[in-house]
Amino acid sequence: MDMSLPDLDRLKLASTQTKKTVSILGSTGSIGCNTLDLVSRDRDAYGIKALTAHKNVAKLAQQAIEFNAEMAVIADATLYSDLKSALLDTDIKVAAGEQALNEAADMPAEWVMSSIVGAAGLKPTLTAVRRGATIALANKECLVCAGDFMMDQVREYGATMLPVDSEHNAIFQIFDFDHPETVEKITLTASGGPFWNRDVADMTMITPEQAVNHPNWSMGAKISVDSATLMNKGLELIEAYYLFPVRKDQLDIIIHPQSIIHSMVSYMDGSVLAQLGTPDMRTPISYALAWPNRMSTPSKKLDLTEIGTLDFSKPDEARFPSLNITREVLQNGGSAPTILNASNEVAVYAFLEGKIGFLDIAKIVEETLDKISFHNMTSLSDVHDVDDNARRVSSELITGIMN
Ligand code: NAD
Ligand code: MG
């Protein structure tokens, strides 16, 4: 270092050199906003490259200005001129459309938060993987729909995948990666969502408003519905299979309504390691953001005496068919998880739009899986073909229910 520099300048230089560059795919959502909340608490540590959103121009523009982003991308191409005008007096690069999402992911950020919801996040996440970035993965759907392919690409391009989903982040913190043979099983905890103890007879009338009202977590609409059907836990079972070196029969699920234990790893000697904390996504996001270090967060600190009791029970697979469906899908592998994910996305949005009932979601997924035969997939275009076909079949089934 040049010793002739005044101390202050030297410090400034050191801080710009160590700034971690960050892009957030899906910055206007629940995970995206929580990530920016953490960044806002230590502006000197992070520099924002790209931010992206689907349709929310106002929020995206506000974030891009506030965090001095280099690029802002709106996925809905019809909103390009709105975003352009909102950022007129800035030098922030503006782009729109699906291809522009890939451009955002291709910006040279060391750390990329993948927090677009659904399979729409697959391509931009892959783009970031292919330049060897560190990916903080919230978008579980991209692993469910293309897990083998995605993890092959992570290995091929030397990318780093850090799980953000609270359960997988917990496992990441407690799994002995040096001795995976000592692991007996992974147990994912599930809050059970708002209806875990409700009679099946009362479940037919569940409204979208009730389903998105999660007792412990504040999240986007799609994952909230997935939590209510327990499909979220099924998707997480598949996600865990791709993220950790375990066999399919080493993955277990337990209902834990307080969401304090975020998951557990059982070892061959009888030890069970768990990660605990109050339910606040800023804790797992911060772990990925600061990794391999830790950072302080504003999450409420855990006081077990205040909580008093932690409850556990077996999930009721009769009332929540999603769990059996996903177990079978995981067993089948190949194109089955891609069909499951696409079909579930279509069914959840149909439910949110009031086109089908709550219990129809799992039925649509099950019937879609019954109607399409599974095969091995070798390329990304295979993934897209299977995804498109499953969406078409599910949409037809939904039309059938509506008529
Ligand atoms: P959200 O709906 O709040 O936000 C989704 C983000 O993706 C928004 O920025 C939206 O603009 C963008 N987006 C939506 N559709 C898009 C499209 N077609 N093209 C481009 N961008 C699009 O969702 P969320 O709750 O933040 O969840 C994001 C992801 O993280 C999901 O995969 C979810 O399963 C996962 N996750 C969320 C939580 C949570 O607490 N919210 C926890 C664990 C995992
Ligand atoms: Mg989760």
Side-chain angles (χ1 to χ4, degrees):
M1 186 173 286
D2 182 355
M3 296 308 287
S4 65
L5 279 173
D7 280 355
L8 189 61
D9 285 354
R10 268 217 310 275
L11 278 176
K12 273 191 196 153
L13 185 63
S15 83
T16 49
Q17 280 171 340
T18 54
K19 238 181 196 191
K20 190 182 263 187
T21 46
V22 165
S23 287
I24 305 176
L25 308 172
S27 63
T28 55
S30 164
I31 293 285
C33 291
N34 275 322
T35 308
L36 284 174
D37 177 73
L38 292 171
V39 167
S40 74
R41 290 163 198 274
D42 194 357
R43 301 273 182 141
D44 293 337
Y46 307 101
I48 300 291
K49 288 275 174 194
L51 298 177
T52 82
H54 189 204
K55 289 176 185 290
N56 194 340
V57 168
K59 195 167 199 170
L60 177 63
Q62 172 261 312
Q63 291 177 334
I65 292 167
E66 184 182 341
F67 290 89
N68 197 19
E70 288 182 26
M71 184 182 199
V73 168
I74 194 85
D76 182 338
T78 63
L79 298 171
Y80 172 78
S81 49
D82 291 359
L83 184 61
K84 188 81 190 156
S85 340
L87 295 175
L88 203 56
D89 297 327
T90 71
D91 54 8
I92 300 165
K93 187 177 172 206
V94 173
E98 242 189 75
Q99 188 44 39
L101 285 180
N102 290 326
E103 277 176 49
D106 219 13
M107 291 281 281
E110 293 158 67
W111 191 92
V112 178
M113 169 53 82
S114 165
S115 55
I116 290 175
V117 59
L122 175 59
K123 270 195 203 158
T125 304
L126 265 176
T127 301
V129 164
R130 286 174 174 160
R131 58 177 185 77
T134 296
I135 314 294
L137 187 78
N139 175 221
K140 67 193 86 187
E141 293 94 342
C142 73
L143 265 195
V144 175
C145 81
D148 284 322
F149 186 73
M150 175 72 83
M151 294 316 285
D152 279 351
Q153 299 272 292
V154 166
R155 282 183 284 271
E156 187 177 337
Y157 290 91
T160 303
M161 190 72 106
L162 303 174
V164 169
D165 212 348
S166 57
E167 299 75 5
H168 305 72
N169 186 269
I171 297 160
F172 186 65
Q173 295 193 39
I174 55 185
F175 194 95
D176 187 349
F177 287 96
D178 291 332
H179 305 99
E181 72 287 355
T182 62
V183 171
E184 215 152 62
K185 69 170 178 175
I186 283 176
T187 305
L188 300 174
T189 50
S191 70
F195 314 123
W196 70 279
N197 54 6
R198 188 179 280 210
D199 277 355
V200 82
D202 295 340
M203 287 169 89
T204 44
M205 300 312 287
I206 288 169
T207 64
E209 292 70 29
Q210 292 167 332
V212 297
N213 192 11
H214 196 279
N216 304 344
W217 302 94
S218 157
M219 310 181 286
K222 196 255 175 186
I223 184 176
S224 297
V225 175
D226 284 345
S227 300
T229 59
L230 288 200
M231 181 59 85
N232 182 50
K233 214 46 56 179
L235 300 177
E236 289 182 357
L237 203 71
I238 300 173
E239 181 186 14
Y241 174 69
Y242 287 118
L243 287 172
F244 304 108
V246 288
R247 297 186 313 270
K248 295 170 182 176
D249 63 352
Q250 288 176 292
L251 295 166
D252 204 1
I253 292 171
I254 193 171
I255 300 290
H256 165 43
Q258 291 89 359
S259 300
I260 296 297
I261 295 184
H262 297 306
S263 276
M264 295 174 269
V265 177
S266 308
Y267 289 89
M268 64 200 298
D269 62 358
S271 298
V272 180
L273 269 57
Q275 186 260 355
L276 287 73
T278 55
D280 184 332
M281 283 309 291
R282 288 176 297 186
T283 298
I285 295 170
S286 77
Y287 189 81
L289 185 59
W291 185 86
N293 303 313
R294 284 186 191 262
M295 62 192 278
S296 67
T297 76
S299 309
K300 185 174 186 299
K301 302 291 180 227
L302 179 61
D303 177 354
L304 285 173
T305 61
E306 195 181 288
I307 292 158
T309 312
L310 299 180
D311 296 302
F312 304 96
S313 59
K314 285 201 169 119
D316 182 343
E317 309 217 340
R319 281 184 306 127
F320 294 100
S322 304
L323 293 176
N324 274 334
I325 297 173
T326 43
R327 276 208 181 279
E328 264 181 49
V329 159
L330 179 62
Q331 216 49 50
N332 279 299
S335 55
T338 316
I339 299 168
L340 168 93
N341 181 66
S343 172
N344 181 56
E345 281 191 33
V346 171
V348 167
Y349 288 110
F351 167 69
L352 285 170
E353 289 161 16
K355 293 179 179 164
I356 59 171
F358 182 75
L359 295 177
D360 291 328
I361 300 173
K363 278 188 205 145
I364 299 284
V365 172
E366 203 163 20
E367 284 179 36
T368 304
L369 285 159
D370 282 347
K371 278 180 178 284
I372 306 174
S373 55
F374 309 145
H375 62 270
N376 284 330
M377 296 191 303
T378 52
S379 69
L380 190 58
S381 73
D382 267 356
V383 173
H384 287 303
D385 290 348
V386 171
D387 179 279
D388 284 348
N389 188 36
R391 282 172 201 269
R392 187 185 51 76
V393 170
S394 295
S395 300
E396 282 169 10
L397 289 167
I398 288 163
T399 309
I401 290 181
M402 289 164 65
N403 291 336

